[in-house]
Amino acid sequence: MMRRLALVMLIWPFAVFAQSEAADQARRAMADLETASAALAAADGARDRVKALTQTIQAFEVGLGAMREGLRQAAINEAQLSKKLASRDGEVAQLLGVLQTMGGNPSPTLFLHPQGPVGTARAGMLLAELTPALNSRADALRNDLNEVQMLRTLQADAAMRLQEGLTEVQRARTDLNQAMANRTDLPKRFTEDPVRTAILISTSETLSGFASGLSEMTSDQIDPAPVDFDGQIGSLTLPVQGVILRRANETDAAGVTRPGLILATRPQAIVTSPTAATIRYTGPLLDLGNVVILEPRANTLFVLAGLDVVYGAAGQVIGSGTPIGLMGGGPANRDNALSPNGDGAGMERSETLYIEVRENNVTQDPSDWFRTDKDG
């Protein structure tokens, strides 16, 4: 009996450890989604509906991202616990047998030792020392089993809320498209000359050449209001939630080196202006896809390329945080969101936004202008 107890104590690997961080994260994300849902309902009656919808979409993106990560981690933890428990079936049965023997009504001779009363006494002392440890192992096993059950229940409950959130954020994007199309209250600094714009696009071979000709595309230009954002340089918020794929002047796998920053984003992520600016150009350009060029101050340009939908028109003056477009890609679905192969592997962030900063038509390192120390 004592050798059997000692063997169990040596090979039993479970520890008392409750893996609840993923569950807590998912619950917090569910609360965030509830808040975003309430904001979406309130946006219908908001005076500035564009602003309300923009904030709502951003709240959904944060909440859905946290929900995905929380549920994904919960699924991983549940799988790891289940695998660990399955691999220890024999040891579980052995432990349960020992505990059942200890918890029964032993006969008077059950604990008699072959070496007589002294051996029996020693065995009893050892058993008394092992009993709390065995109970601790049993508690650890019980905690693991409860954790598996809790994680499975959480995944089932949260999956429906996740799907509702995905549907609601898609509706918010559709509403934003309509609200932006109906918007007529933005001031204008100049009127775009479409003929000159078309000529410039057709004759420009590089982004630098296009940027240098932007000033010739306008008419009836009004001097911009003086803007001083020197204190913000280095701390500007990135225009979209994303993960940095490549920094300025880093060469990609195809051997292409660009002076800008490349962010990996989720499909249909909202892109906003990092500061008050004049829209200098929107539309397709060169090999960059749909492009928005912002002028936050004279001789400074922010080039944002790779969008699917773009908002606004050249000449309009917009405020910080104004939506300027959406990334491409189809809407996410629940199955993809629950896959353990997600953000960490980059599979879920399938879209890329290119950000270039130009001052006096000379490229600058975007990392000197934007906060890039934290992925979104």
Side-chain angles (χ1 to χ4, degrees):
M1 168 64 71
M2 302 315 300
R3 290 180 60 188
R4 182 184 180 191
L5 288 172
L7 177 62
V8 171
M9 295 303 299
L10 287 172
I11 65 177
W12 188 259
F14 285 114
V16 180
F17 177 71
Q19 301 180 36
S20 59
E21 182 178 353
D24 291 341
Q25 183 179 359
R27 292 191 186 97
R28 289 193 298 268
M30 289 172 65
D32 291 342
L33 289 182
E34 293 292 343
T35 301
S37 297
L40 179 58
D44 291 335
R47 182 176 180 180
D48 189 345
R49 194 156 184 258
V50 169
K51 181 178 180 180
L53 286 169
T54 300
Q55 293 173 343
T56 298
I57 292 172
Q58 290 172 330
F60 268 118
E61 289 180 350
V62 172
L64 289 170
M67 174 76 77
R68 290 183 181 100
E69 181 57 30
L71 288 180
R72 189 176 295 118
Q73 191 59 50
I76 293 173
N77 288 356
E78 186 266 330
Q80 290 175 340
L81 282 170
S82 297
K83 183 178 180 180
K84 182 173 70 171
L85 291 172
S87 69
R88 303 298 181 178
D89 279 347
E91 295 169 23
V92 171
Q94 190 175 35
L95 175 63
L96 293 177
V98 172
L99 293 177
Q100 184 177 17
T101 301
M102 292 171 57
N105 296 317
S107 65
T109 60
L110 180 60
F111 292 115
L112 291 179
H113 196 277
Q115 296 181 3
V118 175
T120 301
R122 289 175 178 172
M125 293 173 61
L126 179 59
L127 181 61
E129 293 178 358
L130 289 177
T131 298
L134 285 171
N135 288 334
S136 176
R137 300 300 188 188
D139 288 340
L141 173 60
R142 183 162 48 249
N143 288 338
D144 284 343
L145 291 172
N146 290 339
E147 184 73 15
V148 169
Q149 184 177 10
M150 182 271 292
L151 290 172
R152 287 176 177 172
T153 301
L154 173 68
Q155 292 176 72
D157 292 342
M160 181 178 297
R161 184 68 193 94
L162 176 63
Q163 186 59 55
E164 291 172 354
L166 292 170
T167 301
E168 289 174 323
V169 71
Q170 187 60 30
R171 178 169 78 85
R173 292 184 181 117
T174 301
D175 291 347
L176 179 63
N177 287 337
Q178 187 63 46
M180 291 300 295
N182 295 337
R183 189 164 201 174
T184 59
D185 59 341
L186 291 176
K188 296 197 71 173
R189 263 191 61 208
F190 61 82
T191 303
E192 181 184 20
D193 187 328
V195 175
R196 289 183 178 180
T197 301
I199 293 174
L200 181 61
I201 292 173
S202 64
T203 57
S204 297
E205 296 182 357
T206 64
L207 180 56
S208 178
F210 181 82
S212 65
L214 276 177
S215 60
E216 302 175 5
M217 297 182 351
T218 63
S219 62
D220 303 326
Q221 181 157 329
I222 303 172
D223 289 336
V227 176
D228 180 11
F229 72 150
D230 287 340
Q232 303 176 49
I233 295 177
S235 61
L236 291 172
T237 302
L238 287 167
V240 68
Q241 295 180 30
V243 174
I244 296 176
L245 279 184
R246 200 160 291 108
R247 295 185 180 271
N249 301 314
E250 289 184 354
T251 304
D252 62 18
V256 177
T257 303
R258 295 187 184 275
L261 187 74
I262 298 179
L263 291 177
T265 79
R266 296 187 180 93
Q268 299 186 321
I270 190 170
V271 185
T272 60
S273 177
T275 183
T278 302
I279 299 177
R280 298 298 308 207
Y281 176 78
T282 61
L285 181 63
L286 302 173
D287 62 344
L288 300 173
N290 270 336
V291 173
V292 177
I293 299 180
L294 303 175
E295 185 184 50
R297 67 181 180 187
N299 301 316
T300 301
L301 298 176
F302 293 160
V303 181
L304 309 175
L307 296 88
D308 180 56
V309 176
V310 293
Y311 301 135
Q316 290 179 337
V317 180
I318 59 176
S320 176
T322 299
I324 55 176
L326 298 174
M327 300 301 294
N333 59 61
R334 189 185 68 182
D335 293 337
N336 290 340
L338 295 179
S339 170
N341 300 316
D343 282 357
M347 296 177 63
E348 192 175 80
R349 299 181 187 266
S350 58
E351 306 303 307
T352 55
L353 180 72
Y354 176 70
I355 303 172
E356 187 170 302
V357 178
R358 307 183 71 87
E359 195 165 33
N360 296 316
N361 208 26
V362 177
T363 56
Q364 311 289 313
D365 188 343
S367 298
D368 295 335
W369 293 68
F370 294 93
R371 281 194 58 192
T372 58
D373 58 336
K374 182 179 180 180
D375 293 331

